[in-house]
Amino acid sequence: GFESAYNREAPQIFMINSDVIVDPLLTGEFLLHESLHQKMNDLQVTRPIVIDSYDDFISHEQGDIKLPWGIGKPRPFSLVRALATFHVYVHLCVLYKMAILKIHAGENVTAFPETKVWKRFLNSYNRAQYLLQSLRSERLVSYYGREGLEFISWLDNVLISVTSDPLISTIISSKPTDYYE
C-alpha cells in the first residue's frame, strides 16, 4: 500500500515497495526522496532552522501549511513537515531535470511530449513552487531560527538554477499548474 517510506525512529533505513523497484527511475526517485528525509532530520538536529520554542504538534494542529493535494484536501502540514517536503520536491526537480536533459540531449523540443519524466518533473516543480510561497508567509516568519530563511532561499536558488535551462522553461510554460497528478 506504499511506494516508499522512512521513519525517523529508524534512521538510515528506507523501505521501497517491491513493485516500484522494477522501474529504475522511480527507484532513484524514492531512494533520493527517503534519503532527503534523513538529511532533513540531520539538519534539524545540527542547524537552527526553527526556533527552540517551535512546537511541531501545534503547528500541525493549526495547519500552518495547507496542501491542496493528497488525502483530505486541504491537507494540514506543520511548518517542519512542509520544509522537509519542499526540500524533497526541489531535489526531485534536479533529478528530473538531469533525466530530461539526458533523454532529450541535442533535441530542439518545442512541443510538450506527455512522458512520465516530464509529468513527474512538473508535479515536483509545481508543488515546490506552492510550498515556497507558503513557507514565505508573513505569519510563519517568527517560527524560523537563524538559518531557516537562509535554508529556504538556498532551495529557491536551486529551483531557479533548475529552471534556467531553455528546455526546462519550455516544459514549465507548456502545462498549467496541477498539483494533483
Side-chain angles (χ1 to χ4, degrees):
F2 68 93
E3 293 176 322
S4 67
Y6 167 78
N7 185 327
R8 71 186 310 161
E9 282 77 37
Q12 300 180 352
I13 296 175
F14 312 135
M15 295 162 274
I16 299 178
N17 188 313
S18 59
D19 294 338
V20 172
I21 290 182
V22 297
D23 184 326
L25 189 62
L26 287 180
T27 300
E29 175 184 327
F30 293 132
L31 285 172
L32 178 61
H33 179 130
E34 302 308 338
S35 66
L36 288 166
H37 286 313
Q38 173 69 51
K39 181 67 175 179
M40 190 67 190
N41 286 334
D42 294 346
L43 288 171
Q44 289 174 25
V45 170
T46 61
R47 312 302 283 192
I49 294 175
V50 294
I51 58 174
D52 290 337
S53 61
Y54 167 81
D55 186 316
D56 199 56
F57 179 76
I58 291 171
S59 179
H60 174 77
E61 288 297 309
Q62 292 176 181
D64 281 332
I65 308 278
K66 290 187 175 50
L67 303 186
W69 62 84
I71 302 165
K73 302 168 203 157
R75 190 170 157 204
F77 264 40
S78 70
L79 174 67
V80 165
R81 187 172 182 195
L83 281 167
T85 304
F86 178 52
H87 184 234
V88 167
Y89 282 128
V90 169
H91 282 82
L92 290 180
C93 286
V94 173
L95 172 71
Y96 282 117
K97 174 187 177 177
M98 293 183 334
I100 289 166
L101 294 179
K102 181 177 181 184
I103 291 167
H104 297 286
E107 293 179 28
N108 184 12
V109 179
T110 56
F112 183 89
E114 293 285 334
T115 66
K116 177 174 73 174
V117 175
W118 288 42
K119 285 180 182 179
R120 292 189 82 81
F121 169 80
L122 275 172
N123 182 273
S124 297
Y125 175 78
N126 289 333
R127 290 179 178 190
Q129 285 296 322
Y130 178 87
L131 286 161
L132 175 61
Q133 297 311 311
S134 297
L135 290 165
R136 287 190 165 153
S137 166
E138 269 307 307
R139 66 182 185 77
L140 298 177
V141 171
S142 64
Y143 288 147
Y144 293 114
R146 275 193 340 269
E147 295 182 24
L149 291 173
E150 184 179 323
F151 180 66
I152 293 169
S153 291
W154 172 73
L155 288 170
D156 184 22
N157 286 331
V158 171
L159 207 51
I160 289 167
S161 73
V162 165
T163 61
S164 66
D165 186 275
L167 178 58
I168 302 303
S169 295
T170 300
I171 295 168
I172 292 166
S173 63
S174 65
K175 278 296 242 186
T177 300
D178 185 0
Y179 307 116
Y180 307 105
E181 291 184 22

